[in-house]
Amino acid sequence: MPAKRVKVVSYWGGIKKANGSGLAEFEFDIPQFSGELRLMAVSYKGNSFGAADNTMIVADPIVVSTALPRFLSPGDTVTVPVTLTNTTAKAANVSAVIAVEGPMKIFGSNNQSVSLGANAEGKASFRIVADPTINMGKVTVTVNGMGEKFTEVTEIAVRPPSTLQKMTGNGS
């Protein structure tokens, strides 16, 4: 019962025709992601070709990083630390709200207020309890601040703590 937590960011733009200055434009949607992307381009004209690459930083004004284990077992109680990174030069007061779907419940408060300094980090902390059932779930952290809403969704499995076991035997 694997959760699909890591999503590969990959895009093939196809063949684009450049204008007279050698510029070609394209747009693409980036999934929930914060970090550095590598952009690559290959060009050709007749028998000549060239290539180049560069990096691009992708980050919201407030980056939400939820630290969850890879899976939960039925009955587990976990503390979920949420790191909030302010990537702007302005201080902000934000509110963080956690919600769960699937075989989990929130233990205690589901919202917290956090003060974030300019270009600084803050932390919120929540607790989740796994139900005594097995299934896939989602943990959603939503942060409201700076006039915007920032969301991070994480898939998590609630599964047995060990693999299935086979017992065999024989007798006469």
Side-chain angles (χ1 to χ4, degrees):
M1 187 184 302
K4 295 175 178 62
R5 290 173 75 149
V6 177
K7 295 178 176 49
V8 177
V9 179
S10 178
Y11 172 76
W12 163 251
I15 297 174
K16 304 285 184 185
K17 188 163 179 83
N19 64 17
S21 301
L23 297 175
E25 291 185 19
F26 60 93
E27 289 184 19
F28 58 96
D29 292 327
I30 298 174
Q32 177 181 309
F33 176 81
S34 291
E36 189 175 87
L37 292 178
R38 183 171 154 197
L39 305 172
M40 299 180 291
V42 177
S43 63
Y44 72 92
K45 183 174 183 180
N47 290 331
S48 301
F49 66 93
D53 67 278
N54 206 341
T55 58
M56 177 175 84
I57 302 288
V58 177
D60 286 327
I62 297 175
V63 177
V64 181
S65 300
T66 306
L68 281 166
R70 291 284 171 208
F71 66 91
L72 296 174
S73 294
D76 277 355
T77 300
V78 295
T79 300
V80 181
V82 179
T83 303
L84 305 172
T85 306
N86 181 356
T87 62
T88 69
K90 296 187 315 185
N93 288 318
V94 301
S95 79
V97 179
I98 191 168
V100 294
E101 295 176 31
M104 296 172 285
K105 290 183 180 64
I106 298 166
F107 184 76
S109 178
N110 72 331
N111 62 354
Q112 289 183 19
S113 293
V114 179
S115 292
L116 298 175
N119 295 309
E121 288 185 351
K123 292 201 184 289
S125 185
F126 303 98
R127 293 186 82 194
I128 293 176
V129 178
D131 290 340
T133 58
I134 297 169
N135 206 343
M136 294 298 294
K138 286 185 183 178
V139 176
T140 304
V141 176
T142 304
V143 175
N144 289 303
M146 298 183 162
E148 294 185 60
K149 183 186 286 189
F150 308 96
T151 303
E152 182 182 63
V153 179
T154 307
E155 256 187 29
I156 189 165
V158 177
R159 65 175 182 80
S162 63
T163 59
L164 296 175
Q165 297 178 351
K166 282 187 185 179
M167 295 181 67
T168 62
N170 60 25
S172 58

